[in-house]
Amino acid sequence: QEHAYPADELMPLTCRGRVRGQEPSRGDVDDALGKFSLTLIDTLDTLVVLNKTKEFEEAVKKVIKDVNLDNDIVVSVFETNIRVLGGLLGGHSVAIMLKEKGEYMQWYNGELLHMAKELGYKLLPAFNTTSGLPYPRVNLKFGVRHPEARTGTETDTCTACAGTLILEFAALSRFTGTSIFEEYARKALDFIWEKRQRSSNLVGVTINIHTGDWVRKDSGVGAGIDSYYEYLLKAYVLLGDDSFLERFNTHYDAIMRYISQPPLLLDVHIHKPMLNARTWMDSLLAFFPGLQVLKGDIRPAIETHEMLYQVIKKHNFLPEAFTTDFRVHWAQHPLRPEFAESTYFLYKATGDPYYLEVGKTLIENLNKYARVPCGFAAMKDVRTGSHEDRMDSFFLAEMFKYLYLLFADKEDMIFDIEDYIFTTEAHLLPLWLSTTNQTISKKNTTTEYTELDDSNFDWTCPNTQILFPNDPMFAQSIREPLKNVVDKSCPRGISRAEESLGSGPKPPLRARDFMASNPEHLEILKKMGVSLIHLKDGRVQLVQHAVQAASSLDAEDGLRFMQEMIELSSQQQKEQQLPPRAVQIVSHPFFGRVVLTAGPAQFGMDLSKHKAGTRGFVATIKPYNGCSEITNPEAVKEKIALMQRGQCMFAEKARNIQKAGAIGGIVIDDNEGSSSDTAPLFQMAGDGKNTDDITIPMLFLFNKEGNIILDAIREYESVEVLLSDKAKDRATIFKGKMIPNYIIDSNLEMEHMDQKLPENDSHKQNSEEATSAPQDVGAVSEEPEEGESSDVTDPDSLSPAPADSDSISISNQDSYVPGTDEASAPEPACTQGDHQPQEQQTETESNSKVNWDNKVQPMESILADWNEDIEAFEMMEKDEL
């Protein structure tokens, strides 16, 4: 109120409001901002939960008086629904509750509900698709397909975006008696259900809103899918429709069968659910233990929550993403509330004071590390504690609410919280809506659902008295094996030796020593709760259940063993790398003689399948980092764009230059003086999303090599290059073209020229040497500046990182790693927190290895070595560079 109103969000470091269009664009993150006082609306019912009734009454008056919903602005349908529509409905719910109590809000006459209905109608144009799935964005004033709407061209949306509407839309219909909102939300849910993968009963992350085809076929419980599952179960609770529970139970069975690998929750492929889709987890999955509590499945909820808490204790906050060995994957933390939400639900279910201690830790960390003079600032990097000038509305809407409720006694509340259900944004909707204005006919669809041989189809709500069989230590016994799972050192305690008391049991099996054919090893695995399954394709699958271990210490050994095996598997992935590519300068006066070894990309055109490569003049883009819309598209069109590394993801750069009309791109390292003399080459990884839309080739050059092209531009202005899988001979480059007549004549013979090419000059290597040379090529991706999703590693780091797990042949049910033998399994290193692996240049005795020992020559010196005549040039048919 003091620093930001009526802006949508507070910028806590600069103590001012964030107004869309007045601050630098943050991409999709800004789609939540609609110039409708977002944070105030999102926080309305939080004020009542905190017993701030007077402040609530004043806030409602401000919303009614000041908020305009008819702005010419494009917003996210998903975010506007859960934050603004949900905020208005939650505010209306508690407003009528207060009015009934007779002390506050006596003047209220449903104004918030009228605004909610107005906003609902503004969101409906987004549903104008053949599938019933909504467009991801809508213009509040002009809708979707209006000429001035500036939206409506999108083809894809996330599953959660289309499947997280039913609570708000159904509540709006039940409150107003207008059924169209609930009908539209149900139709979207029905379509997603019909498009599920029938053999696995899983859904993908991204779906085409017109065809229903899955665009991203990976499946998990985190970003992109999370609240779809949440709303299926909660829709049953709020609306009483059995079909929603049947669908949720069907999905939940698949989740526990394929995705749940206690304490981990790892994404899989919907068509091959035994194959992991990635080796890291995002922080949004922290909501899932709370949903499991609502479902009544308490054991895995405790396990996953405890694992997440160990990560938080290590980094003070939950990183946006972290790997299976608990290293930081994405270092940001925008003060997300999902872990606090699960903590609240676990405490409500167990009454275990341990979860009050967890909540106390969260509050202390917020006050110690995130609190700034004007509010609470998001963490830009949990490892360094650096801040970001950002405080999302969900921080006040959810985090404050759940933490207060965690510690509040019943007498601290002015109403019974049990009479309401929480939306995904923690807004309160009254349970009595289930019997109000039921305009949707229910049909019995039980026969459409899969018969499951488990207890998922219990029709009663879970009873906490039977969740814990008269054992107050039940939850602690589940947490105990996980207490060291994220330790900086491998969880190898002295207690094992103390337990043996000299009886001589063999030390626990280490992953590097494991052999699937050794009966003694199999017996040790069994004791640790690890079982081994032989697959038809010859691989072995390892599955670990801590509860099946002989003791808590054995369970701890089993967890460590699985972590080591996962690390070994990750090391094996790194061996499956793309070969280096070539950037060849073909314009005057170089004519193909300068060949720069370039790092490949895991997305875009595969140059190995396009032998001719991509040829064009280079152009420097504006902005040079390529992280926003290109402002000089006329200079980039039909050219190869040069850009600087950093500040956003490689894939984002590629999309921006492709949109500007570029035919290819070269990313130049922003670390001054970096060179392949001293560092291994890298392959540029994607951003964790589908990158099939990127069709142009992208290559990476270190700073020193990139400066050769930049220097050439400064001296010659027009510089033409060829991007290819390997360098081409000049006869091939100029085949069918007139040979330039201004090459300086020095009457050199072919053999004479060959003698001038030093063996170790990688700029002029023979192509056969270059392609046969073993290269240490790691996968690297750039980290987004503003929390958008991206692949691993810091943008300023040049340390190798794990490749995307799409290339891994891992089947996974709980914790799985492929079998190895002692000859092939390298020594695994203990996980040392978030420290990145050190760079190591792999040496080889191969004579054909590309060598960068020579310093890059000055341009004048290079040109002096290239004086050849036309006759020698025409004779170079077999001269491969």
Side-chain angles (χ1 to χ4, degrees), residues 337-382:
E338 285 77 15
F339 181 78
E341 174 186 358
S342 289
T343 303
Y344 165 70
F345 280 112
L346 274 168
Y347 178 66
K348 293 289 288 184
T350 65
D352 190 336
Y354 174 83
Y355 296 108
L356 295 179
E357 292 299 318
V358 173
K360 180 182 176 183
T361 300
L362 297 182
I363 293 174
E364 290 175 345
N365 288 347
L366 284 171
N367 283 320
K368 185 175 181 180
Y369 302 108
R371 190 158 199 162
V372 294
C374 293
F376 291 82
M379 307 305 296
K380 188 173 184 178
D381 193 317
V382 298

Side-chain angles (χ1 to χ4, degrees), residues 44-53 56 89-106 108 110 112 175 413-417 419-420 428-430 432:
L44 287 176
D45 53 6
T46 300
L47 292 171
V48 179
V49 171
L50 300 179
N51 204 2
K52 301 286 186 180
T53 48
F56 169 74
L89 292 171
H92 173 70
S93 299
V94 294
I96 59 177
M97 177 270 297
L98 291 173
K99 185 176 182 179
E100 289 176 0
K101 288 182 178 291
E103 184 177 354
Y104 297 99
M105 303 298 293
Q106 295 305 300
Y108 182 70
L112 293 179
F175 272 130
M413 302 292 296
I414 61 174
F415 65 100
D416 190 353
I417 198 71
D419 291 337
Y420 297 83
L428 302 175
L429 298 178
W432 53 257

Side-chain angles (χ1 to χ4, degrees), residues 385-549:
S386 57
H387 288 128
E388 196 172 349
D389 200 5
R390 169 183 181 183
M391 191 179 86
D392 290 86
S393 67
F394 54 67
F395 177 68
L396 297 179
E398 299 184 71
M399 182 73 85
F400 270 31
K401 192 175 295 174
Y402 285 124
L403 289 177
Y404 181 84
L405 290 172
L406 175 63
F407 293 98
D409 295 323
K410 197 166 186 178
E411 54 269 22
D412 297 325
M413 302 292 296
I414 61 174
F415 65 100
D416 190 353
I417 198 71
E418 302 296 337
D419 291 337
Y420 297 83
I421 191 169
F422 293 106
T423 69
T424 194
E425 192 76 4
H427 293 307
L428 302 175
L429 298 178
L431 293 175
W432 53 257
L433 287 175
S434 61
T435 58
T436 303
N437 292 323
Q438 296 187 39
T439 57
I440 306 298
S441 60
K442 301 178 185 177
K443 60 179 180 178
N444 187 352
T445 55
T446 305
T447 55
E448 299 178 12
Y449 298 86
T450 307
E451 291 292 334
L452 302 176
D453 185 21
D454 60 13
S455 60
N456 277 327
F457 283 83
D458 290 341
W459 294 100
T460 57
C461 293
N463 185 339
T464 56
Q465 293 182 357
I466 64 172
L467 289 177
F468 317 105
N470 300 318
D471 182 6
M473 302 297 289
F474 179 78
Q476 181 178 340
S477 67
I478 298 175
R479 293 192 301 265
E480 188 67 23
L482 303 170
K483 65 180 182 180
N484 292 323
V485 73
V486 193
D487 271 356
K488 288 186 177 180
S489 60
C490 294
R492 174 75 255 128
I494 302 176
S495 54
R496 167 68 67 179
E498 295 174 346
E499 182 191 53
S500 68
L501 297 177
S503 58
K506 291 183 179 294
L509 181 64
R510 303 304 297 267
R512 66 176 182 268
D513 301 323
F514 171 67
M515 295 185 65
S517 59
N518 189 322
E520 186 178 353
H521 288 183
L522 298 181
E523 188 63 31
I524 296 175
L525 290 187
K526 183 177 180 181
K527 188 177 181 183
M528 295 190 298
V530 180
S531 57
L532 182 143
I533 303 172
H534 290 274
L535 302 178
K536 293 180 179 180
D537 58 6
R539 294 176 299 149
V540 294
Q541 176 181 342
L542 299 177
V543 182
Q544 201 255 358
H545 289 286
V547 294
Q548 296 177 0

Side-chain angles (χ1 to χ4, degrees), residues 69 94 231 333 454 467 509 537 553 601 631 653 664 709 812:
L69 299 173
V94 294
Y231 268 37
H333 173 72
D454 60 13
L467 289 177
L509 181 64
D537 58 6
L553 288 172
T631 59
K653 298 175 189 288
I709 295 181
N812 207 326

Side-chain angles (χ1 to χ4, degrees), residues 109-361:
N109 195 29
E111 288 85 353
L112 293 179
L113 182 59
H114 298 320
M115 295 179 68
K117 188 174 182 179
E118 177 189 354
L119 181 60
Y121 278 120
K122 289 185 174 296
L123 295 178
L124 286 185
F127 292 82
N128 187 21
T129 61
T130 55
S131 66
L133 299 178
Y135 283 95
R137 298 174 185 84
V138 66
N139 187 298
L140 291 177
K141 189 177 185 68
F142 297 109
V144 173
R145 292 188 173 274
H146 191 279
E148 299 180 63
R150 305 186 304 282
T151 189
T153 59
E154 303 94 335
T155 58
D156 306 334
T157 193
C158 71
T159 301
C161 299
T164 311
L165 300 160
I166 187 64
L167 292 189
E168 291 84 2
F169 272 47
L172 183 57
S173 288
R174 302 297 175 95
F175 272 130
T176 63
T178 306
S179 63
I180 187 172
F181 305 108
E182 185 172 347
E183 291 171 358
Y184 275 52
R186 282 178 177 264
K187 183 179 179 182
L189 276 180
D190 291 344
F191 190 83
I192 295 174
W193 170 252
E194 289 300 320
K195 291 298 179 179
R196 75 192 185 282
Q197 213 292 320
R198 298 302 177 102
S199 62
S200 67
N201 282 320
L202 294 172
V203 292
V205 174
T206 309
I207 190 171
N208 186 295
I209 60 177
H210 303 297
T211 66
D213 295 332
W214 291 111
V215 180
R216 278 187 56 188
K217 299 179 178 64
D218 46 318
S219 183
V221 296
I225 303 180
D226 49 1
S227 49
Y228 163 69
Y229 295 133
E230 176 186 3
Y231 268 37
L232 285 178
L233 181 56
K234 290 184 175 180
Y236 166 69
V237 175
L238 180 65
L239 306 177
D241 189 335
D242 294 349
S243 66
F244 291 129
L245 180 61
E246 291 171 325
R247 294 179 188 183
F248 172 79
N249 284 333
T250 302
H251 285 313
Y252 187 77
D253 176 77
I255 291 169
M256 300 309 292
R257 190 183 302 270
Y258 304 119
I259 296 171
S260 177
Q261 302 163 34
L264 309 180
L265 291 163
L266 290 176
D267 285 16
V268 300
H269 295 276
I270 59 175
H271 295 94
K272 297 180 180 179
M274 301 300 289
L275 181 64
N276 279 355
R278 61 189 189 189
T279 57
W280 49 271
M281 296 164 281
D282 65 74
S283 62
L284 286 172
L285 61 76
F287 92 100
F288 198 67
L291 188 64
Q292 290 179 306
V293 171
L294 191 62
K295 158 72 178 169
D297 196 2
I298 202 73
R299 178 182 291 275
I302 293 173
E303 291 175 334
T304 299
H305 180 275
E306 180 62 20
M307 177 270 293
L308 294 171
Y309 183 45
Q310 297 300 324
V311 175
I312 289 174
K313 288 202 294 186
K314 180 176 179 179
H315 299 294
N316 301 319
F317 299 98
L318 193 62
E320 275 291 76
F322 52 93
T323 62
T324 52
D325 55 359
F326 310 110
R327 290 178 296 169
V328 171
H329 187 77
W330 300 334
Q332 309 96 319
H333 173 72
L335 307 181
R336 293 200 184 277
E338 285 77 15
F339 181 78
E341 174 186 358
S342 289
T343 303
Y344 165 70
F345 280 112
L346 274 168
Y347 178 66
K348 293 289 288 184
T350 65
D352 190 336
Y354 174 83
Y355 296 108
L356 295 179
E357 292 299 318
V358 173
K360 180 182 176 183
T361 300

